[in-house]
């Protein structure tokens, strides 16, 4: 089985994104948002059949860990009720897609974060999504301000109520920012990669995993700049008097393969242990074009991983086993399905 750990519902029906625009306009005008529109199962099927599902079939991906569109989480906009309503609508829509295609998608939720609002208030939605909707993880935005970084580091104790719930529920978080309002940063070209790198450095500097050894994070986009500067981070652990990365950070942190060229994938696997790498593509996502040098889509990351010539055991880890280990609720669901099919 090939499991893609990084998929977003980027092709949601127009009525869904249209409601978000209406919600934003209503908040700006100081009036209530309109009712959420009716979206049929047919609309949902049409939104994924010729995009996500088609590409999965063409590229040989069996199952995608599927979450709301990251760039549209929009935590910087509005207030806590606005974020909560939008988050619930997004998560419910993903849950419906999963229910229509349970063999192809597993749900991951966004959280109703707002700048300045305690993260503890997001726990209710996390519990709803995991316990009622059957989701297997969550996306955690380390910068709900939208590129201004007003929140404390991820290792600050203000985050612990969410982490404690994650440990209790046995779900990981993908550390994933959303839209950016700071004009200095391009959303997917710098803001996303900056956040990946920043999150890793924050984890290096503190003892979060000593306090919460069962906590797990997936840092997407190949870990941002981390693998490329692995020697720098190893050196900083020494200069800062921190324990080695292999002991203090990497048992709890994992990178995906959303790196869109062969040399980048080669580097990732050259410096990061294979046990810490999960296959991911982020299709249909930030980079959708065809690479003129190869004639293949940039985000067809399976081609890069296949070209590594991994041993069968390592290939199994990257494509399936690591994801099932990091997402135990996904493993439970798959075991149930495998038992039923036997």
């Amino acid at each position: 089985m090939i499991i893609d750990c990084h998929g977003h519902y980027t092709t949601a029906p127009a009525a869904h994104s249209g409601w978000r625009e209406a919600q934003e306009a209503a908040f700006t005008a100081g009036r209530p948002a309109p009712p959420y529109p009716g979206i049929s199962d047919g609309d949902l099927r049409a939104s994924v059949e010729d995009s996500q599902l088609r590409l999965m079939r063409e590229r040989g991906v069996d199952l995608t860990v599927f979450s709301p569109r990251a760039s549209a989480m929009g935590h910087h906009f509005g207030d806590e009720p606005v974020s909560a309503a939008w988050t619930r609508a997004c998560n419910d829509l993903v849950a419906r897609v999963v229910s229509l295609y349970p063999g192809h998608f597993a749900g991951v939720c966004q959280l109703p974060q707002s700048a300045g609002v305690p993260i503890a208030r997001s726990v209710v939605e996390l519990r709803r999504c995991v316990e009622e909707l059957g989701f297997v993880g969550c996306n955690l935005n380390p910068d709900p301000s939208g590129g201004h970084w007003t929140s404390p580091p991820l290792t600050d104790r203000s985050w612990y109520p969410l982490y404690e719930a994650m440990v209790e529920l046995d779900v990981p978080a993908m550390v994933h920012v959303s839209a950016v309002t700071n004009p200095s940063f391009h959303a997917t070209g710098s803001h996303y990669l900056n956040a990946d790198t920043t999150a890793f450095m924050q984890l290096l500097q503190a003892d979060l995993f000593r306090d919460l050894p069962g906590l797990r994070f997936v840092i997407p986009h190949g870990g941002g700049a981390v693998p490329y500067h692995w020697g720098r981070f190893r050196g900083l652990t020494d200069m800062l008097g921190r324990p080695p990365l292999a002991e203090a950070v990497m048992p709890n942190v994992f990178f995906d393969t959303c790196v869109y060229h062969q040399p980048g994938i080669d580097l990732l696997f050259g410096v990061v242990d294979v046990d810490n790498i999960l296959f991911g593509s982020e299709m249909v996502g930030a980079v959708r074009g065809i690479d003129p040098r190869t004639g293949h889509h940039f985000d067809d990351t399976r081609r890069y991983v296949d070209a590594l010539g991994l041993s069968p055991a390592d290939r199994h880890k990257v494509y399936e086993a690591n994801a099932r280990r990091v997402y135990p609720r996904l493993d439970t669901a798959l075991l149930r399905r495998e038992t039923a099919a036997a």
Side-chain angles (χ1 to χ4, degrees):
M1 173 178 282
I2 294 182
I3 300 172
D4 187 335
C5 78
H6 191 165
H8 299 299
Y9 194 7
T10 56
T11 59
H16 175 70
S17 54
W19 182 78
R20 173 59 166 177
E21 293 173 3
Q23 184 202 36
E24 292 179 342
F27 177 82
T28 301
R31 61 177 187 268
Y36 187 78
I39 298 175
S40 70
D41 286 354
D43 293 333
L44 297 181
R45 292 183 186 278
S47 72
V48 297
E49 283 284 359
D50 194 42
S51 56
Q52 193 79 27
L53 283 172
R54 177 180 59 80
L55 290 171
M56 288 170 63
R57 287 191 294 267
E58 290 176 358
R59 300 177 187 182
V61 175
D62 298 297
L63 183 143
T64 294
V65 179
F66 204 49
S67 65
R69 185 175 187 174
S71 62
M73 292 190 296
H75 295 129
H76 63 281
F77 181 83
D79 56 13
E80 185 178 5
V82 165
S83 184
W86 173 236
T87 294
R88 191 178 184 98
C90 291
N91 290 335
D92 286 349
L93 206 64
V94 166
R96 289 182 60 193
V97 173
V98 173
S99 71
L100 291 172
Y101 303 96
H104 295 290
F105 296 111
V108 161
C109 65
Q110 74 179 55
L111 298 172
Q113 297 178 245
S114 293
V117 175
I119 193 64
R121 298 185 192 173
S122 293
V123 172
V124 171
E125 180 65 6
L126 174 66
R127 289 190 180 279
R128 183 183 79 91
C129 289
V130 173
E131 297 175 338
E132 299 179 23
L133 303 183
F135 283 19
V136 300
C138 64
N139 286 343
L140 175 62
N141 187 349
D143 174 38
S145 72
H148 301 276
W149 290 91
T150 57
S151 296
L154 288 173
T155 52
D156 188 86
R157 286 190 172 271
S158 61
W159 296 94
Y160 277 37
L162 175 69
Y163 297 161
E164 290 163 355
M166 288 170 52
V167 172
E168 176 194 340
L169 295 167
D170 205 12
V171 295
M174 178 172 281
V175 180
H176 206 308
V177 288
S178 183
V180 62
T181 61
N182 187 330
S184 297
F185 302 124
H186 182 276
T188 56
S190 57
H191 183 49
Y192 280 23
L193 305 182
N194 292 346
D196 303 334
T197 310
T198 297
F200 187 84
M201 188 64 203
Q202 290 175 356
L203 298 174
L204 179 159
Q205 292 177 269
D207 297 312
L208 175 63
F209 300 124
R210 185 176 65 185
D211 292 346
L212 296 163
L215 187 65
R216 298 181 302 281
F217 289 133
V218 177
I219 298 182
H221 318 116
V226 175
Y228 187 72
H229 288 286
W230 193 247
R232 175 180 290 261
F233 290 105
R234 288 179 55 243
L236 286 170
T237 61
D238 180 63
M239 291 176 63
L240 296 172
R242 302 295 303 158
L245 292 174
E247 299 174 11
V249 177
M250 295 314 290
N252 303 79
V253 173
F254 307 87
F255 299 156
D256 70 15
T257 61
C258 294
V259 179
Y260 297 145
H261 64 150
Q262 190 67 51
I265 288 289
D266 295 347
L267 173 70
L268 173 65
F269 279 80
V271 299
V272 176
D273 192 277
V274 70
D275 289 336
N276 291 86
I277 302 174
L278 281 62
F279 174 72
S281 71
E282 201 182 359
M283 67 175 183
V284 180
V287 182
R288 306 185 186 189
I290 294 176
D291 187 342
R293 296 184 180 180
T294 66
H296 301 293
H297 284 86
F298 283 102
D299 63 1
D300 187 358
T301 53
R302 183 181 169 185
R303 290 182 176 275
Y304 311 137
V305 177
D306 284 348
L308 292 169
L310 298 174
S311 69
D314 285 349
R315 177 185 169 89
H316 176 64
K317 287 180 180 180
V318 173
Y319 280 135
E320 179 180 357
N322 290 347
R324 295 177 71 147
R325 176 165 52 90
V326 175
Y327 293 84
R329 286 179 176 266
L330 172 61
D331 183 54
T332 298
L334 292 175
L335 285 173
R336 190 182 305 119
R337 186 188 312 163
E338 292 161 0
T339 301

